[in-house]
Amino acid sequence: MRIAVVGGGPGGLYLAALMKQLDPAHEVTVWERNTPDDTFGFGVVFSDETLGGIENADTTIHAAMERQFARWTDIDVTVDGRSSTIGGQGFAAMSRKELLRLLQERAAELGVVVHYRTEAPDTEELRATHDLVVAADGLNSQVRTRYADAFGPSLDRRHNKYIWFGTDLVFEAFQFIVRNTEFGTMQIHGYPYSDRGSTFIVEMHEDVWRAAGFDRTEHEVFPPGVSDEYAVQRVAEIFADDLHGHRILTNNSKWISFTTVRNESWHHGNVVLLGDAAHTAHFSIGSGTKLAMEDALALAACLHEHPTVEAALTAYQEERKPVVESTQRAAQASLEWFENIGMYAGQDHDAFVFNLLTRSRRITFENLKERDAEFAARIQAAYAREVARDLAAAPTAGDSAAVSSPDEEAPAMFQPVRIGALELKNRVVLSPMDMYSAVDGVPGEFHLVHLGSKALGGAGLVMSEMTCVSPEGRITLGCPGLWDDEQRDAWARITRFVHERSTAKIGLQLGHSGRKGSTKLMWEGMDEPLPDGNWEVVGPSALPYGEATHVPREMTRADMDTVVADFRDAARRGVEAGFDLVEVHAAHGYLLSSFLSPVSNVRTDEYGGSLENRLRFPLEVFDAVREVVPEQVPVTVRISATDWVPDGNTEHDAVEIARAFIEHGAAAIDVSSGQVTQDERPAFGRSYQTPFADRIRHEVAGPAGVAVIAVGAISSYDDVNSILLAGRADLCALGRTHLYDPQWTLHAAAEQGYAGPAAEWPDPWKAGRRRPPTSRTDRVPPRLALLREGEQGQVHLRWRPGAPAAVDDPSGDQAGHPAQPTPAAPETVSA
């Protein structure tokens, strides 16, 4: 093959070297506009997985890199001078300049032709004269821009500013240094890359950047290689205590806004994208160089394994694109966390550290417990102490029994909690799920078994499905209601069972379908109108939910008065039926939700237009419910935190919506999202709605002492514990998970070795509370640990060039910064 590589960075050079190794007859030419010793940045971090791939592909390169590595296992998180250490992570880093030199030498040794200080020929010319053209020309790829119609790029410029420095302070571990300054929160991402220096990245929100005066050089044009010296001076002043008198090093250091690059397609004809030209991921979770070298490994393998370029490039995209997209999802969560870091300025130190470590949702509590059990135990105990403080300060119902005191060794999900005056034994909620199995609005034996089994299964709070306040407020003919006393008495049978047979509480979700009503049962055709029209649907405006759905009649004031009365009467019946909690459903595009959203509410009267106006009717309904429900029965609200469409409600609107309901007495905010229009484009993923709950909790609910419930693709006890310990929510609601396993909470307790009152098995089931044995029964478990854990696998290894190899035993809470030894040869790593 004749291969043209545009861009002589690590990704392009590594691909060139790999292709020459696979077949020396390949003619590989690289064009690089810079000189061989031009490189920007300081250090590069690699994961063990990436290094394993490099070692398998090219032992020569791997061995050369190995000799350069700084290795360590610790992360130090320092917040305003107070530090915590977390071990067991595993990092390897080296100088970017050294890496580039090694790859240049390897490419030359293998016969790759590299033209430095040379612009690549026209891409059309390269396409005509080469079998393959590789665009490895970086973030501002000219090749990608030229064929933008084919690649379909999107460039997302983010809100933070960052600047890439180095320092001659040799860090001993990965450093997250957070300073809450008079201008706002600033952070450092730092790590050692040799025995002489460390990477030192300064990042902050653009608003903080301007407030601190860093925008003084905003309009200066710095020539290539020239750094922003004013930024150096200001950073040195602000982070003087963290630099310990050491210098800041520059290398083309200028303020940048991170841009996330995505492409619909990575190849076009015989042109293929590699590295930053194809994708970027925020530096807070990894290295662009690492991703580019992984691309090179995959592309070289696909070219070697497939008979044609077209087949190889298709296979390359199919292999790498999902991996990169997964990385980008984690990176997106991480960069957004750092954009909003100021939101956590008042968080308890231990919770903040855990929050930071788990920000991308890739690292969880169980991950950390495996890596550093001592740190995990400290976080769990700190959470229990915080729970004890909260319970002591919370109101109590006069006739309610006291909840057991928090157990410092109990998992977070099994810590008690209050919603208003209602005490719950644990923080697991059965999320409301429509069952479409009622007859004339009356819940039957199916509902008794469905909700009763979840209560017996250990959930602290079991929620009914949306229970409709009128026949016209139903979604389908199978929806339950509370518009008459027969329905009330049927619900009373269910609440009695829950109270007599379990220690769970049961909540009622009240709602009105609005424009999404009069439709078929879910399994007969979701959102499809009933064939005979059945009943007239109403909404704030005469706008349908989607294509081929009902066009609602715009509600009059008289209609609103009727709905308010219906909610009031249904809430009163709910209390009579024995429900412990009442939730007003103002989410998912149903009637109250459609008033809140500008997508479905285009009224021109006092109930449309501004958010204040759009809130008016939902708040009237909420007030009517609160008015007839006794004080000891909390009233909560479920909202859609974003509409997932342009011009719809956003997470910022959700904060104000939550604030309004809290001011009207909401005891908890149940945070869901979407389902307001069929045009929505949700960003689905694990725990994908939790960031909305997190924002509402920190900006408005937490300070008001109001609980926040997270919901949405939360499916493991590890996710639940991680969300709670990080302070992103107070409770977690799980839906489909409980359909898969009605005893999910009890099973989660058994798997975590918890056997306390927050997960008590019903007496008839207690014989089954131990996890059944697996098919392997002859394994002899280890009985004695004769070696210290550190000797088997070092939990705490720090980068201390020249110091004797030893396992540290940090207290986990340090003052200041570790002392820096005299640089010398690196120590080895055993794990």
Side-chain angles (χ1 to χ4, degrees):
M1 293 180 66
R2 296 191 75 212
I3 302 171
V5 180
V6 182
L13 286 173
Y14 190 45
L15 175 71
L18 290 172
M19 293 306 297
K20 288 295 282 186
Q21 288 179 84
L22 288 169
D23 187 345
H26 288 321
E27 181 184 319
V28 186
T29 308
V30 179
W31 283 269
E32 170 55 51
R33 62 193 301 180
N34 295 313
T35 63
D37 57 352
D38 278 346
T39 182
F40 304 120
F42 294 88
V44 181
V45 182
F46 293 96
S47 66
D48 289 339
E49 184 179 12
T50 304
L51 293 176
I54 292 172
E55 184 175 21
N56 289 335
D58 188 337
T59 56
T60 301
I61 280 292
H62 182 270
M65 292 171 64
E66 182 76 36
R67 288 190 290 271
Q68 299 286 335
F69 281 147
R71 284 191 179 272
W72 68 95
T73 64
D74 281 355
I75 296 175
D76 293 338
V77 180
T78 304
V79 184
D80 295 331
R82 181 180 176 185
S83 294
S84 290
T85 294
I86 306 90
Q89 308 301 310
F91 298 97
M94 65 181 297
S95 161
R96 181 179 174 85
K97 183 168 287 192
E98 284 299 306
L99 174 63
L100 199 60
R101 179 184 63 79
L102 293 176
L103 291 170
Q104 289 168 350
E105 291 175 355
R106 184 62 170 155
E109 174 188 324
L110 293 167
V112 175
V113 177
V114 184
H115 299 293
Y116 294 106
R117 307 181 189 86
T118 307
E119 294 285 352
D122 182 79
T123 311
E124 283 298 303
E125 178 186 336
L126 292 176
R127 294 183 70 182
T129 56
H130 291 74
D131 300 297
L132 178 68
V133 179
V134 180
D137 52 344
L139 171 66
N140 300 311
S141 170
Q142 295 181 8
V143 177
R144 183 189 65 224
T145 300
R146 178 162 186 173
Y147 302 108
D149 289 345
F151 292 125
S154 68
L155 280 69
D156 179 15
R157 182 180 179 276
R158 300 306 304 178
H159 308 300
N160 272 12
K161 292 283 191 179
Y162 73 98
I163 189 166
W164 206 292
F165 290 133
T167 176
D168 58 2
L169 170 62
V170 180
F171 291 133
E172 294 184 356
F174 209 110
Q175 302 289 322
F176 288 108
I177 302 171
V178 180
R179 286 279 172 191
N180 291 298
T181 73
E182 61 184 299
F183 313 109
T185 305
M186 305 178 185
Q187 62 268 9
I188 299 294
H189 308 252
Y191 57 86
Y193 60 80
S194 74
D195 58 1
R196 296 179 301 279
S198 304
T199 294
F200 192 82
I201 306 170
V202 185
E203 186 187 23
M204 65 197 74
H205 195 279
E206 184 173 344
D207 293 344
V208 178
W209 179 78
R210 293 190 184 281
F214 285 113
D215 60 346
R216 173 172 157 180
T217 58
E218 181 177 15
H219 302 296
E220 286 190 35
V221 178
F222 296 98
V226 176
S227 299
D228 185 340
E229 293 300 331
Y230 176 71
V232 175
Q233 173 193 331
R234 288 287 288 130
V235 167
E237 292 170 358
I238 293 169
F239 290 95
D241 291 344
D242 303 290
L243 286 165
H244 300 281
H246 286 264
R247 292 182 301 136
I248 291 177
L249 309 176
T250 61
N251 180 357
N252 203 47
S253 302
K254 303 158 190 174
W255 288 107
I256 311 168
S257 296
F258 188 84
T259 299
T260 301
V261 175
R262 300 178 178 88
N263 283 277
E264 293 177 13
S265 176
W266 288 14
H267 61 96
H268 168 54
N270 64 342
V271 180
V272 64
L273 303 178
L274 184 145
D276 284 358
H279 51 73
T280 59
H282 194 251
F283 52 83
S284 60
I285 71 152
S287 159
T289 299
K290 163 191 174 301
L291 290 175
M293 292 182 72
E294 289 175 347
D295 285 354
L297 283 165
L299 180 55
C302 290
L303 288 166
H304 186 63
E305 293 165 358
H306 291 82
T308 66
V309 168
E310 180 180 359
L313 298 188
T314 299
Y316 162 67
Q317 178 170 316
E318 289 176 350
E319 176 183 336
R320 281 296 291 164
K321 197 164 187 277
V323 175
V324 168
E325 287 174 344
S326 175
T327 300
Q328 287 184 314
R329 284 192 293 273
Q332 186 75 10
S334 181
L335 75 84
E336 289 180 4
W337 192 92
F338 280 111
E339 286 175 345
N340 297 307
I341 192 171
M343 192 165 71
Y344 308 110
Q347 196 171 23
D348 175 79
H349 177 81
D350 290 319
F352 178 88
V353 172
F354 183 81
N355 196 351
L356 185 152
L357 293 170
T358 59
R359 66 195 179 280
S360 73
R361 301 194 289 277
R362 280 193 163 183
I363 293 178
T364 64
F365 179 69
E366 288 297 313
N367 297 150
L368 288 173
K369 188 160 68 172
E370 290 174 5
R371 301 174 190 195
D372 190 337
E374 183 182 352
F375 171 78
R378 185 161 67 91
I379 294 298
Q380 188 167 279
Y383 184 77
R385 290 192 295 271
E386 184 179 354
V387 168
R389 290 194 299 269
D390 291 344
L391 288 177
T396 58
D399 59 349
S400 178
V403 173
S404 300
S405 299
D407 176 359
E408 289 195 3
E409 295 184 0
M413 64 187 288
F414 295 118
Q415 297 294 351
V417 65
R418 288 199 184 107
I419 299 178
L422 178 66
E423 300 171 335
L424 303 177
K425 63 181 178 179
N426 65 46
R427 294 168 183 256
V428 178
V429 179
L430 170 71
S431 195
M433 291 177 287
D434 293 320
M435 295 288 106
Y436 307 110
S437 300
V439 177
D440 295 328
V442 179
E445 291 185 349
F446 175 87
H447 298 84
L448 174 64
V449 173
H450 166 60
L451 295 173
S453 67
K454 309 309 181 293
L456 292 173
L461 176 64
V462 174
M463 291 297 301
S464 78
E465 63 194 276
M466 185 176 96
T467 302
C468 304
V469 298
S470 66
E472 300 78 22
R474 288 177 293 175
I475 310 165
T476 73
L477 291 169
C479 291
L482 256 175
W483 62 81
D484 65 33
D485 291 348
E486 180 186 4
Q487 295 160 354
R488 176 200 63 192
D489 295 342
W491 280 116
R493 181 188 179 205
I494 295 170
T495 64
R496 255 193 324 271
F497 179 89
V498 170
H499 292 145
E500 292 174 0
R501 291 288 184 170
S502 79
T503 52
K505 303 297 183 182
I506 183 167
L508 167 68
Q509 187 187 68
L510 286 178
H512 187 296
S513 61
R515 66 179 186 169
K516 296 177 74 174
S518 192
T519 61
K520 298 178 182 178
L521 302 181
M522 179 180 69
W523 44 87
E524 294 176 353
M526 184 179 285
D527 299 324
E528 291 182 18
L530 289 168
D532 56 1
N534 217 286
W535 66 85
E536 181 184 42
V537 299
V538 295
S541 303
L543 298 173
Y545 171 64
E547 188 176 349
T549 64
H550 292 297
V551 177
R553 176 175 60 79
E554 183 174 305
M555 291 179 71
T556 64
R557 181 63 252 188
D559 294 325
M560 294 184 207
D561 291 340
T562 298
V563 169
V564 169
D566 288 340
F567 268 92
R568 181 186 293 112
D569 292 343
R572 176 178 49 77
R573 288 191 180 94
V575 173
E576 294 170 355
F579 283 101
D580 302 299
L581 173 150
V582 177
E583 179 172 274
V584 174
H585 197 349
H588 298 171
Y590 298 120
L591 183 62
L592 303 186
S593 172
S594 62
F595 265 89
L596 291 171
S597 173
V599 171
S600 48
N601 182 351
V602 294
R603 299 175 73 101
T604 57
D605 62 6
E606 66 269 32
Y607 295 98
S610 67
L611 179 58
E612 180 183 6
N613 284 356
R614 301 197 310 272
L615 270 161
R616 195 181 304 273
F617 178 60
L619 289 173
E620 286 180 17
V621 170
F622 184 89
D623 289 344
V625 170
R626 179 68 274 179
E627 179 184 333
V628 298
V629 172
E631 193 63 35
Q632 68 268 23
V633 176
V635 179
T636 68
V637 63
R638 171 171 276 201
I639 65 171
S640 284
T642 179
D643 293 342
W644 297 114
V645 290
D647 303 319
N649 280 332
T650 68
E651 67 269 25
H652 303 291
D653 298 307
V655 169
E656 299 310 314
I657 291 170
R659 190 190 311 278
F661 279 109
I662 289 170
E663 289 173 352
H664 282 247
I669 307 297
D670 187 358
V671 187
S672 188
S673 72
Q675 302 181 52
V676 174
T677 170
Q678 286 185 340
D679 296 329
E680 69 176 4
R681 293 293 181 268
F684 287 120
R686 191 169 118 256
S687 307
Y688 73 106
Q689 294 177 155
T690 301
F692 306 130
D694 188 11
R695 179 180 288 276
I696 288 171
R697 185 176 190 269
H698 280 91
E699 291 196 17
V700 59
V706 169
V708 168
I709 304 171
V711 61
I714 302 169
S715 56
S716 72
Y717 66 76
D718 191 17
D719 284 338
V720 172
N721 287 329
S722 298
I723 289 167
L724 297 173
L725 289 167
R728 298 182 181 116
D730 300 286
L731 302 97
C732 290
L734 296 86
R736 291 177 177 86
T737 303
H738 277 115
L739 298 182
Y740 181 79
D741 181 359
Q743 283 80 48
W744 180 84
T745 306
L746 295 180
H747 293 162
E751 290 176 15
Q752 295 175 83
Y754 174 76
E760 190 170 0
W761 287 67
D763 288 337
W765 290 2
K766 281 186 177 177
R769 68 184 182 275
R770 293 180 181 86
R771 192 174 185 180
T774 63
S775 57
R776 175 76 187 272
T777 59
D778 58 345
R779 185 179 71 87
V780 179
R783 301 298 299 277
L784 299 174
L786 299 179
L787 295 175
R788 291 178 61 231
E789 183 179 5
E791 292 170 336
Q792 299 174 58
Q794 290 183 323
V795 174
H796 293 291
L797 176 73
R798 302 180 74 80
W799 176 241
R800 288 174 174 166
V807 179
D808 291 332
D809 184 21
S811 67
D813 211 2
Q814 305 163 353
H817 194 282
Q820 300 300 316
T822 304
E827 63 183 67
T828 57
V829 63
S830 65

